[in-house]
Amino acid sequence: FQDNATNESIPVVNKRLCASILLGDGFHNFADGFFIAAAFRSCSVAVAISIMLVTLFHEIAQELADFIVLTKFGGLPVWKALAFNFLSGLTVCLGGIVFLATTPTDTATGVILAMAGGVYINIAACETAPRMEGAMKGRGDRALML
């Protein structure tokens, strides 16, 4: 849209896109908080820290992608995209607090940790493997990838 008084273009915010990105990211981060808290409650410190670091590294790329979508396609100004992305990221703390405030059974904790493992296997299969496809030269490389 065009502001006739100042002759500047006013960006149109795609509220549905922004809401779906932020809500989805909020639920995703909440689940990550569950996974990290379950690891610290049930695993060794070394395993728990490794799960926390893997989550952190995957979240860096995820949050950058969300920021780009919110600013380029969602029409949000940079400061609003950063603020909303930060608030959405805080749900990881909420997920951890909720998990630690409850007393799930060992079976429930195992299921949560198994789901976390499945999430990271899915990320490896869906995001990493296709990028490796171009670097593979022959059948031997494909067999090593599996």
Side-chain angles (χ1 to χ4, degrees):
F1 289 111
Q2 187 92 10
D3 183 3
N4 293 331
T6 61
N7 222 11
E8 294 179 11
S9 63
I10 300 171
V12 177
V13 175
N14 185 339
K15 292 178 183 175
R16 287 184 179 182
L17 175 65
C18 293
S20 67
I21 292 293
L22 292 168
L23 285 172
D25 190 44
F27 284 120
H28 172 102
N29 290 336
F30 185 83
D32 282 345
F34 255 65
F35 301 156
I36 293 169
F40 275 100
R41 178 179 276 172
S42 302
C43 301
S44 69
V45 173
V47 170
I49 288 174
S50 70
I51 289 173
M52 181 189 68
L53 290 174
V54 166
T55 304
L56 175 70
F57 292 142
H58 110 171
E59 278 303 314
I60 290 170
Q62 177 70 37
E63 297 304 327
L64 284 172
D66 289 346
F67 175 77
I68 290 168
V69 171
L70 290 171
T71 55
K72 298 288 184 196
F73 303 106
L76 285 180
V78 169
W79 72 271
K80 279 188 179 180
L82 286 172
F84 287 141
N85 223 2
F86 177 76
L87 291 173
S88 171
L90 287 178
T91 59
V92 75
C93 297
L94 182 62
I97 290 168
V98 167
F99 184 86
L100 294 173
T102 61
T103 53
T105 64
D106 288 342
T107 303
T109 302
V111 168
I112 290 170
L113 290 171
M115 288 173 57
V119 166
Y120 295 119
I121 290 171
N122 181 46
I123 289 169
C126 295
E127 294 182 18
T128 308
R131 290 185 178 97
M132 292 173 53
E133 186 73 29
M136 290 187 267
K137 305 291 186 224
R139 289 184 183 185
D141 290 340
R142 292 183 194 280
L144 284 175
M145 187 183 91
L146 290 177

